[in-house]
Amino acid sequence: MNDPAGSLPQSGVGGATPTFRLGALQIAAPLLGGLLVGTALAYVLVEATGGHMTAGELWTCVSAGLIASVVVPSLPPRHGVELTHSQLVVLGGGRREFVWQDIIGLEIRKTLGIRTVVVQVSDGRRIPLRAPMSLLDRDFDAKARILADWWTARRGGPDRV
């Protein structure tokens, strides 16, 4: 889950450049949960409006959710973060590159019990990173520490994580 490419260096100085991506379970769990909640809500709404959902229709909704939760995580991960010696590269929905000197802070944001890293850029933007993410990842704290160490070593700014 959320494994970096290569080993986890203890500090951001030297060694391979880490890449963090979401693992299959990190993608599948919220997807499956959302689809099951959506199916339950659709069932309740149909019943509340006087309609009726047959067992076959209900099975179709549930099986579509199960299939999607297997297929989507098997697709190649598009969202992630690469740490290079000169910049932080955010992948997903295009490629965004942030020079370490333009990053003025890092913070951990907790939403619904799931922690993520938010990058504060000098132009005022706050960029939430999809990976690393604490959902189903026991190594989140170590990965956030690596990200902070890389930023500190290359930015020379205060350590804010």
Side-chain angles (χ1 to χ4, degrees):
M1 287 180 234
N2 200 1
D3 291 327
S7 62
L8 290 173
Q10 292 300 323
S11 71
V13 182
T17 58
T19 299
F20 302 112
R21 297 194 189 274
L22 297 180
L25 287 177
Q26 290 177 299
I27 296 168
L31 178 68
L32 180 59
L35 289 170
L36 291 177
V37 167
T39 298
L41 182 60
Y43 182 78
V44 167
L45 290 174
V46 167
E47 292 296 321
T49 59
H52 182 68
M53 185 181 280
T54 66
E57 292 169 332
L58 181 59
W59 175 247
T60 300
C61 289
V62 171
S63 61
L66 291 173
I67 290 170
S69 67
V70 170
V71 171
V72 171
S74 67
L75 298 173
R78 298 190 187 325
H79 297 281
V81 174
E82 293 177 2
L83 309 181
T84 71
H85 294 289
S86 60
Q87 60 194 1
L88 170 72
V89 181
V90 179
L91 305 169
R95 179 183 175 100
R96 295 184 292 172
E97 300 171 345
F98 301 96
V99 188
W100 291 112
Q101 290 79 14
D102 289 343
I103 298 173
I104 60 171
L106 300 173
E107 69 180 56
I108 303 293
R109 179 186 297 167
K110 188 173 185 178
T111 305
L112 298 173
I114 300 171
R115 294 176 295 146
T116 57
V117 177
V118 177
V119 176
Q120 300 168 2
V121 188
S122 60
D123 64 5
R125 291 181 294 160
R126 297 166 57 90
I127 316 297
L129 304 179
R130 293 211 179 167
M133 173 181 32
S134 67
L135 176 69
L136 300 171
D137 185 4
R138 286 177 256 157
D139 295 329
F140 170 79
D141 291 323
K143 293 170 186 176
R145 178 88 259 141
I146 289 168
L147 181 58
D149 288 348
W150 273 66
W151 172 65
T152 302
R154 284 151 183 82
R155 167 82 164 88
D159 189 4
R160 296 187 185 183
V161 174

